[in-house]
Amino acid sequence: MGSATTQALAATTSALQAAPGVDLDVARELFAAVRVLAGSSQLSGALSDASAPAEGRQKVVASVFGTFAPATVAVLDAAVRERWSSAADLLTGIEEAGIRAAAIAAPQADIEAELFSVARTIAANPELELALGSRLGEASAKGALIEKLLAGRAAEPTVIIVASLAQLPRERRFRSMLSWALRVVADQRGRAVATVFAAAELTPAQTERLQRTLAARYDTEVSLNVVIDPDVVGGIRIEIGDDVIDATVSSRLGDLRQRLAG
């Protein structure tokens, strides 16, 4: 991510935090705006052209998205005022705002856990992941498929996020998109996400102790997603951000084999 995009993303996020009345309709509209922009390289190029006056770009937003909710328009205005490294970054920035809006609108929904569950389901169904990530097929049909699959199994904000991402893969792997969305939701809620690989389910006491330990280490609240992996044998492996903490028996056995071989 370029420095221009980093600054633009921060400004767009700040505008979303300050916008009144952020609800699930705002999230839907932000995702709809991404679909409109992705469908017109001319429009997305014009709105991300830093050489054009910001006022002109905002007039385009008013013309194209003027019927959207005031909160949505405020976020889009903030986004196009900024300098982005590329048109693709502008789309991703608005997409991230849509994810954050869904998290803001439904603070009680366990979106992180549900996104993790969807990602695990997709991982177990390669054909489904291929179909969702393919450029072939109607985008709306992919969104409808997700809504059907998640009906009654996930909260509305989770369905909105997953269905919207499925409609615009933009050369990204679907599971990677879900992992990114999960991190965005966690960040919006002021915490980090750790994926824990273990041979068996953790007890409540183990879960609480691990959360306390990680929170102290990373100086933030940590949400745990546990994956049962027989290959672990014993111990656990933790992935949090770019860090990997491997305290598994299989890892120690591998190290021992290497030392013996050496």
Side-chain angles (χ1 to χ4, degrees), residues 169-188:
R170 293 193 288 128
E171 309 297 332
R172 299 170 296 179
R173 289 190 64 190
F174 194 58
R175 266 188 290 161
S176 298
M177 294 161 65
L178 293 175
S179 296
W180 166 65
L182 194 161
R183 291 193 299 272
V184 170
V185 172
D187 181 73
Q188 178 60 41

Side-chain angles (χ1 to χ4, degrees), residues 1-13:
M1 184 184 296
S3 59
T5 287
T6 299
Q7 294 175 17
L9 188 57
T12 302
T13 300

Side-chain angles (χ1 to χ4, degrees), residues 234-235 246-257 259:
D246 198 336
T248 60
V249 172
S250 56
S251 173
R252 291 196 292 271
L253 288 174
D255 290 342
L256 178 60
R257 282 193 294 267
R259 286 198 293 270

Side-chain angles (χ1 to χ4, degrees), residues 6-261:
T6 299
Q7 294 175 17
L9 188 57
T12 302
T13 300
S14 294
L16 175 68
Q17 312 286 22
V22 174
D23 56 18
L24 290 179
D25 284 338
V26 170
R28 291 188 184 92
E29 289 177 346
L30 288 168
F31 284 122
V34 176
R35 290 194 292 274
V36 170
L37 294 174
S40 172
S41 58
Q42 183 177 4
L43 179 59
S44 60
L47 290 179
S48 60
D49 182 5
S51 66
E55 294 79 6
R57 300 198 297 273
Q58 288 177 297
K59 287 180 180 179
V60 174
V61 166
S63 175
V64 178
F65 304 110
T67 59
F68 283 2
T72 308
V73 175
V75 174
L76 294 174
D77 269 348
V80 302
R81 273 200 310 268
E82 299 301 318
R83 181 185 184 92
W84 299 84
S85 298
S86 67
D89 281 358
L90 169 63
L91 266 63
T92 300
I94 298 172
E95 198 169 46
E96 178 171 320
I99 296 168
R100 289 182 182 275
I104 291 170
Q108 303 306 317
D110 196 355
I111 302 173
E112 295 135 293
E114 290 178 349
L115 287 172
F116 183 74
S117 178
V118 173
R120 296 298 296 170
T121 300
I122 299 277
N125 293 270
E127 291 183 359
L128 176 59
E129 180 173 20
L130 183 62
L132 291 172
S134 172
R135 286 180 294 178
L136 303 177
E138 289 291 331
S140 58
K142 294 179 183 179
L145 173 61
I146 290 296
E147 290 173 358
K148 182 178 180 180
L149 289 174
L150 297 186
R153 296 185 177 90
E156 189 176 5
T158 304
V159 177
I160 291 171
I161 291 170
V162 179
S164 298
L165 294 178
Q167 293 181 66
L168 280 175
R170 293 193 288 128
E171 309 297 332
R172 299 170 296 179
R173 289 190 64 190
F174 194 58
R175 266 188 290 161
S176 298
M177 294 161 65
L178 293 175
S179 296
W180 166 65
L182 194 161
R183 291 193 299 272
V184 170
V185 172
D187 181 73
Q188 178 60 41
R189 292 176 169 177
R191 56 193 179 219
V193 177
T195 302
V196 180
F197 297 85
E201 288 284 356
L202 302 181
T203 66
Q206 289 172 325
T207 299
E208 183 180 354
R209 186 164 58 249
L210 181 57
Q211 283 180 313
R212 286 201 309 267
T213 301
L214 292 174
R217 177 168 179 167
Y218 289 94
D219 194 27
T220 187
E221 181 183 348
V222 177
S223 176
L224 300 184
N225 291 317
V226 180
V227 177
I228 305 305
D229 183 357
D231 292 338
V232 167
V233 182
I236 58 174
R237 185 174 79 254
I238 304 166
E239 296 179 359
I240 180 167
D242 294 328
D243 293 347
V244 177
I245 305 168
D246 198 336
T248 60
V249 172
S250 56
S251 173
R252 291 196 292 271
L253 288 174
D255 290 342
L256 178 60
R257 282 193 294 267
Q258 286 184 346
R259 286 198 293 270
L260 291 173

